[in-house]
Amino acid sequence: NKDLVKFYQAAVEPCHTNFGIADTTRSTSRDPNIQNWGKLRGVRECISARPGYALAVSDFKQLELLSLAQICVERLGLTEMASKLSAGVDLYADIVGVDILGCSYDELIARRAAGDRAADAARDCGKPAVLGMNGGMQSAETFQLYARKGYGQKLSLEQCERIMSSWRRRAVDQQAYLRAIKQTRNEMG
């Protein structure tokens, strides 16, 4: 992982990321990517402050989804995503996990609570799907690479297509948001 090399070099000299804005208005971070570490082992463990400095880290549960839900409410008048998040619904499980397992949301949550690894894996497939698709990801090949590199998931192209199809069926507010962004971009030229 090229980011690990950057972090290793940071033991000697300061390391700074490069922030940007994607076409979908999501923020980006590269060289190194400090926003989306996923489940890659070794990245978080090698980060520490240099002597005499402090390091502050914050990780808010589903912050990107909460922010997007608020935008959908304020700009588009859409409340489905916000209502689910306010009720404590795990969108990764709700949008993708239930379709993978072919069960209800409540059953998936109960199975996870009981330690069912298949339920955990189904829910975890929702992370790259929801975050990637909300960011405008279009192809199964790109999704496959994103899921593997960012989340350590080895999915077939067929599985990726099924997961992306679940998102397209169930993520109504998010799709409306992406359409609005596309329309605004087209109007601006």
Side-chain angles (χ1 to χ4, degrees), residues 54-89:
L55 178 65
V57 176
S58 62
D59 189 5
F60 298 94
K61 186 178 178 182
Q62 298 187 342
L63 181 61
E64 185 172 0
L65 299 178
L66 293 165
S67 300
L68 178 56
Q70 190 62 39
I71 290 170
C72 287
V73 169
E74 289 179 9
R75 302 223 173 156
L76 304 173
L78 301 173
T79 61
E80 181 178 329
M81 184 179 184
S83 295
K84 286 182 176 185
L85 288 168
S86 291
V89 171

Side-chain angles (χ1 to χ4, degrees), residues 5-162:
V5 172
K6 280 283 196 185
F7 291 131
Y8 180 75
Q9 292 169 342
V12 178
E13 57 188 44
C15 177
H16 301 281
T17 190
N18 294 294
F19 288 107
I21 301 293
D23 289 343
T24 58
T25 71
R26 287 181 66 188
S27 66
T28 62
S29 168
R30 64 178 177 78
D31 198 27
N33 179 351
I34 63 166
Q35 291 184 169
N36 301 306
W37 293 333
K39 293 186 176 182
L40 291 176
R41 292 181 156 237
V43 177
R44 293 175 193 245
E45 294 83 359
C46 71
I47 298 173
S48 63
R50 289 187 310 276
Y53 291 85
L55 178 65
V57 176
S58 62
D59 189 5
F60 298 94
K61 186 178 178 182
Q62 298 187 342
L63 181 61
E64 185 172 0
L65 299 178
L66 293 165
S67 300
L68 178 56
Q70 190 62 39
I71 290 170
C72 287
V73 169
E74 289 179 9
R75 302 223 173 156
L76 304 173
L78 301 173
T79 61
E80 181 178 329
M81 184 179 184
S83 295
K84 286 182 176 185
L85 288 168
S86 291
V89 171
D90 179 331
L91 288 186
Y92 308 130
D94 181 61
I95 292 174
V96 174
V98 296
D99 279 358
I100 289 174
L101 291 180
C103 66
S104 71
Y105 175 80
D106 290 336
E107 181 182 340
L108 186 145
I109 298 303
R111 287 173 63 177
R112 288 190 73 217
D116 183 335
R117 288 186 178 167
D120 283 340
R123 183 264 180 197
D124 287 350
C125 284
K127 263 192 151 176
V130 171
L131 298 174
M133 299 291 284
N134 285 351
M137 188 178 300
Q138 299 290 320
S139 77
E141 292 82 8
T142 303
F143 177 78
Q144 184 182 48
L145 182 64
Y146 179 62
R148 183 175 51 80
K149 283 190 164 190
Y151 298 90
Q153 298 175 358
K154 295 178 178 130
L155 304 170
S156 70
L157 286 176
E158 181 182 315
Q159 288 172 308
C160 293
E161 289 168 2
R162 258 195 339 260

Side-chain angles (χ1 to χ4, degrees), residues 23-24 176-188:
D23 289 343
T24 58
Y177 167 76
L178 290 174
R179 282 191 303 274
I181 291 294
K182 186 176 182 179
Q183 180 180 346
T184 299
R185 288 182 64 222
N186 289 340
E187 290 170 0
M188 296 176 77

